Amino acid sequence: MKCSIRLKLIAGFSAALPLMAIMGVVSFYSISSLVDASANADHTYQVIDGLERMVSRLKDAETGQRGFIITGEDRYLEPFSTGIAGVERELRDVRALTYDNPFQQKKLDIIEPLIQLRMEKLTEAIKLRREVGLESALGKISQWDSGKHVMDALLSQAAAMEAEERRLLEDRADKTASTGATAKMTI
């Protein structure tokens, strides 16, 4: 009898050990998938935030430029300078974050020259204000009218990028929810 109980215990543990190992592997895989899905969603938020900061920095530069044009005071150029530096940094960061997404890279290939053109026009207006004065600068700036078109095109491309990221976020949120449910069930 003692031998038979011992054999039953050994057989029971022998059967349970592989099952526990399989459950451990499946649980590990489920939790790893959940962590990956969560990281992907976080990545999408970083891209959206970078796009919003990039546009905001460009608007800061425009505000600083307008303040300088109106007043002629250099202190208004601080938001211009920090805005320009911020735009370039955010553009670089968003490009790095979306390196694996051809759609987003193509949009950035359109946005980058628009940003350069807008910054050139802002800088040129500041130069005109310094060299020829307020009225001449305002007259020249009002003739350009390209600034609004450039900014509208840039905002349109940024909005398309953000819409793509929001679509990806929705897909990733669905995957995260599905993976979470699977992980719960597995555990």
Side-chain angles (χ1 to χ4, degrees):
M1 256 321 178
K2 286 184 182 182
C3 190
S4 131
I5 291 176
R6 183 176 175 187
L7 285 175
K8 287 180 183 178
L9 282 174
I10 291 173
F13 279 117
S14 296
L17 268 164
L19 288 174
M20 288 176 59
I22 290 170
M23 287 181 63
V25 168
V26 170
S27 294
F28 176 79
Y29 174 75
S30 294
I31 290 172
S32 293
S33 295
L34 183 60
V35 168
D36 289 344
S38 178
N40 285 338
D42 184 53
H43 177 268
T44 302
Y45 281 120
Q46 289 175 1
V47 173
I48 291 170
D49 190 44
L51 287 166
E52 290 173 352
R53 281 194 315 264
M54 182 178 67
V55 169
S56 177
R57 301 294 188 260
L58 191 55
K59 288 179 181 180
D60 290 347
E62 287 182 330
T63 300
Q65 179 246 23
R66 273 193 298 274
F68 175 76
I69 298 288
I70 293 168
T71 65
E73 295 181 24
D74 284 342
R75 66 187 171 113
Y76 286 96
L77 291 178
E78 184 181 329
F80 171 79
S81 299
T82 57
I84 294 297
V87 166
E88 291 170 350
R89 183 179 56 252
E90 297 302 337
L91 179 63
R92 198 173 41 250
D93 290 350
V94 169
R95 188 169 288 282
L97 286 167
T98 60
Y99 77 93
D100 60 343
N101 186 326
F103 175 83
Q104 298 296 52
Q105 290 294 303
K106 286 178 186 174
K107 291 295 181 191
L108 287 171
D109 290 343
I110 295 168
I111 287 174
E112 193 165 5
L114 291 171
I115 287 174
Q116 292 303 320
L117 181 60
R118 188 68 188 126
M119 290 189 309
E120 287 170 13
K121 289 294 185 184
L122 293 174
T123 303
E124 190 175 337
I126 290 169
K127 183 179 176 187
L128 280 171
R129 173 62 166 100
R130 283 190 195 281
E131 294 175 359
V132 295
L134 174 63
E135 290 180 25
S136 296
L138 288 176
K140 190 74 167 171
I141 293 167
S142 66
Q143 291 173 3
W144 287 342
D145 193 38
S146 64
K148 179 171 176 17
H149 296 298
V150 169
M151 193 63 172
D152 288 347
L154 194 150
L155 291 173
S156 172
Q157 295 301 316
M161 286 185 73
E162 189 171 331
E164 171 67 6
E165 289 300 320
R166 294 210 181 274
R167 186 194 64 76
L168 288 171
L169 182 62
E170 196 172 297
D171 291 348
R172 290 169 178 168
D174 290 346
K175 184 177 180 186
T176 301
S178 172
T179 303
T182 302
K184 279 183 188 178
M185 218 167 39
T186 301
I187 292 171

